[in-house]
Amino acid sequence: MTALLEIRDLHASVGDKPILKGISLTINPGEVHAIMGPNGSGKSTMSYVLAGRDGYEVTGGDILMNGVSMLEMEPDERARAGMFLAFQYPVELPGVGGMSFLRAAVNARHIEAGEDEVDQLGFVKLVRGKARDLGIDDAMLKRAVNVGFSGGEKKRYEILQMALLEPTMAVLDETDSGLDVDALRIVSEGVNLLRDPGRSMLVITHYQRLLDHIVPDYVHILAGGKIRKSGSKELALEVEESGYAGIDDAA
Amino acid sequence: MAATTETIEQVKEATGTYKYGFVTDIESDKAPKGLNEDIVRFISARKEEPEWMLEWRLKAYRRWLTMESPDWAKLDIPPIDYQDSYYYSAPKTVKKLDSLDEVDPELLATYEKLGIPLNEQKRLANVAVDAVFDSVSVATTFREELSKAGVIFCPISEAIRDYPELVQRYMGLVVPVGDNYFAALNSAVFTDGSFVYIPKGVRCPMELSTYFRINEQNTGQFERTLIIAEDEAYVSYLEGCTAPQRDENQLHAAVVELVAMTDAEIKYSTVQNWYPGDENGKGGIYNFVTKRGVCRGDRAKISWTQVETGSAITWKYPSCVLRGKDSVGEFYSVALTNNHQQADTGTKMIHIGEGSRSTIISKGISAGLSQNCYRGLVHMQPTAENARNFTQCDSLLIGDKCGAHTVPYIVSRNPSAKIEHEATTSRISEDQMFYCLQRGIGEEDAVSLIVNGFCKEVMKELPMEFVVEAQKLIGISLEGSVG
Amino acid sequence: MPASMTLPDLASATANSGVRSSALANWQATGWPGPRVESWRFTKLALLEGKTFAPAHDFADQPAGAGMDAAESIGAHVLRFVNGVVDPSDIENAPEGVNISALAADEDAMSHLRQMVPPAHPVSDLSLAVMSAGIIIDIKGRVDMPLMLSFEGDGATTSAHPVVFVRLFEGSYLQLAEWHASTAGLSAPLTGIDIAAGARLEQVKVQTDGQATTHLAATGVTLGAGASIDGFSLSTGGRLARLETHVCFAGEGADCNLSAIYMGRGEQHQDITTYMDHAVPNCTSNQIIRGVLDDRSRGVYQGRVHVAPDAQKTDGQQMARALLLSRKAEVDAKPELEIYADDVVCAHGATVGELDATQLFYLTSRGIPKDVARAMLIEAFLIDTIETISNETLAAILRPVAQAWMAEQETL
């Protein structure tokens, strides 16, 4: 079986500063992996490097999706190839209507696949259906992307996009940050509904509590730009009890 | 956005970058090159104008001779040789037409290509069109339906003959012949344009629209539009402009005058897509236009909406004189410049009436090597008791070789009047680009999406029928500005 | 306006050579700006027309003015100018780190100073040519004692042309106050402030010239890498006053705060004109301008922020607000952004209006007399501007001037 995502000895820098210092990770189809780590361990850098953001320079190693290297691919090419990043801080797009944004993203995939563009009316219905499950009302869909949304609304909107774009590899960057208990439950349920044998997820988080809701198959501890420890979901509980302190020193 | 990609591709395939750059091969009747009193007489004679009109033109011409081209705008205008241009060019086969059947098929095909079907079967739903080809109006649709409502919509040359009392009363009232250099020139040599009269209490039953097309080489276009809305009348009017791709620059110096009486409302929208020149700055239209409306009656309202993507150089300040009590002026503008384009555009809001209100929303987008300047005046006269103005000017820069400038002039002579002005300049944030890219949207589409979002407040003021076209136009005009 | 219509007494200047002679030639060719010069569109100098002034050239002592009192209150070393002529005794015994020398003898310095304001500037040309006093003040290291430039004088036909060039050497620090309280016909100070890398200037200017005086000030500021200036002007005097400042960012990482309050009553005309020339990347400029205008007075604010190509990461902010207190008062504003670089954060805002009627009602409903309530609201309108002054010593000399203006307001 080809791994869905394979990260091979990945080194990456921001500016001149090395952040990721040799990360290797294999994610098979349908698996949910969690990456935990203290602040500054390189968690967000990892999500940006996977998505191909400018300014995050890969200085060594490789990232393969379905056996194909993504390093030369632009962020939009990676996205159309099935990579999805749920942002820690979703970006506001003033004046850009939610529906036209979502349609543009979906159509970009259709065009690349040589398919017809989505039918406008059918699309609206589809979005509304998925939005309802996430507690997103029509009024919110009509607003400009993320503009004036609360923290919880922004996160739900990210999951809505994930549901519509149907990625094979979803990276969730600190999806729990800024959420209260109820919002966390709604978002997690949304994510769990999208668990699928053909879809893998990488859940990046600082706290264990998210993993009570989105239960991972594997847990990795990231510190100082390296994976220090890997294990089953119990590893998360261990960290919860003893903190990151011991792990940090393990290097 | 996919639609934009598609349009861009189609356009590229069809004609290169500028969609409307083709030339129509049609025989024309031209005045000799150059400008003098005889040319003015020639134009007036061709138009079979009454004596008073010729006198008016000659007065304007003599005034023009004493004036100088304005130099205060942030524009680099090469010297213009006014003797090296034709001031009258008319398609030969066009006479007074009673039906479209008599229109030269070449012409009909031209307008089809421009996306403006004049053909009875294909006309735009509920939009009456006056098509002006070089110097003359070639067709006006829906005239019968309009006249049933008492609305007059005809070429201005016809109005001069058929409604002399209205034309004499209003022409030059809002923009006097000596108002500025280009207005004086227009007053002397204007050849056609549209005339609209909405009688008291009438709400014009459809959108009115004029499409201007410059076809001939070395031809200036000088059209003149006059719109009068009597008490409680309403009209929404849209103009669109295109010209062939030519290496030399062509001058377009139009004058538009609006008069709104008590409780009347005029909504004037422009989608300006004159040929902007090529990516090296060769060719393109000089768009030097004077547009002004006066709210003469109480509660009258004039609203200007413009989407400006074309022309090599734009010099244009659609303005409102708010004379009536509680009258309202609005200016919504998107000005997009790319490559070597230059634009100096904005508005003037002259508050005279008590309780008059104005809103200015200006969105400037500069890309390539272009220069884009907002220039606007808000003037509160001593009589403007409790008047209000709100202005928001935002500039967006795409690339580091272009310029964005904001030059507001604020004059207040009444303490109870309130003025608020805000302006910002920024570029598309890297965060926004990355967010769109991560969702799989390509770079050019992402820029077009973000820019259209930036312009949203203005776009929503356009008549429904033209919003999609304007959005596509922005996408096309931005082409080549990224990467 | 031809130069010949004013200031016929240029005889003394014709003997000069070099920079001053070229400045004179320039002035004679251009004179005062005519009605069509864009940068003078809101401020016309018609009232100077036909007036004849005679520049003073010798120091004539006078009783000490308000600037001297202010200097004493903050323990400043004073350089005193009477009708634009500096008191020679003040040149000596300058505090440690301050060196004062004659400008007229230094062609290079004059040439440099002249380039700090736009070419063919009427004030720069005229005052350099006539130059009733010309001094260079060099600052090295940290100077803790504030320096006060006090300008006094009288005589309806007298004109004052003091030229001061302040040079802060690398890493130096100075607190500079400027006080104008002259009743001379024309006061035309030219000031150059050259702040070298890492140096800092904290500066205030008080302009309380007489009600018949025309005050035309031109100031050029150059900021080296990492240099900073915190400047504040308060202008309440003069029949016509224009405070024009040109700031050039010559080194990266420089920071400029330049704020001003102008207050007008009677027939006064108050003009604040600024030009921020962001020539290099990574600099910030911030301007807060407040105007209060009563009677038939007129206020003008023109401010341009220019960002050159490649001056990326510029942060340029302007906020101008004006209050009209009378039906006959007028305010004109032209905040301007001229931007040729894309990675910038630039914004400006401008508002014009009157005192908030609801706030006024609220105060009077609590038993506060209307005129007191008005004064309170005007002060509130101005106060946050004065609060931005980082140097409390210098701020302390401004507050009484603003308060005195408002006290007069109450008794009117």
Side-chain angles (χ1 to χ4, degrees), chain A residues 53 79-80 85 109 158 161, chain B residues 2 431 435 437-440:
Chain A
R53 185 167 194 166
R80 293 195 294 270
L85 171 62
R109 285 165 173 74
E158 293 292 289
Q161 292 174 48
Chain B
D431 281 348
Y435 193 71
L437 291 176
Q438 210 298 307
R439 295 306 182 245

Side-chain angles (χ1 to χ4, degrees), chain B residues 33-52:
Chain B
K33 231 184 204 183
L35 183 54
N36 52 51
E37 285 204 7
D38 287 341
I39 293 290
V40 176
R41 287 175 204 281
F42 176 95
I43 294 168
S44 189
R46 274 299 147 97
K47 296 268 165 194
E48 296 164 32
E49 285 176 355
E51 188 60 25
W52 61 264

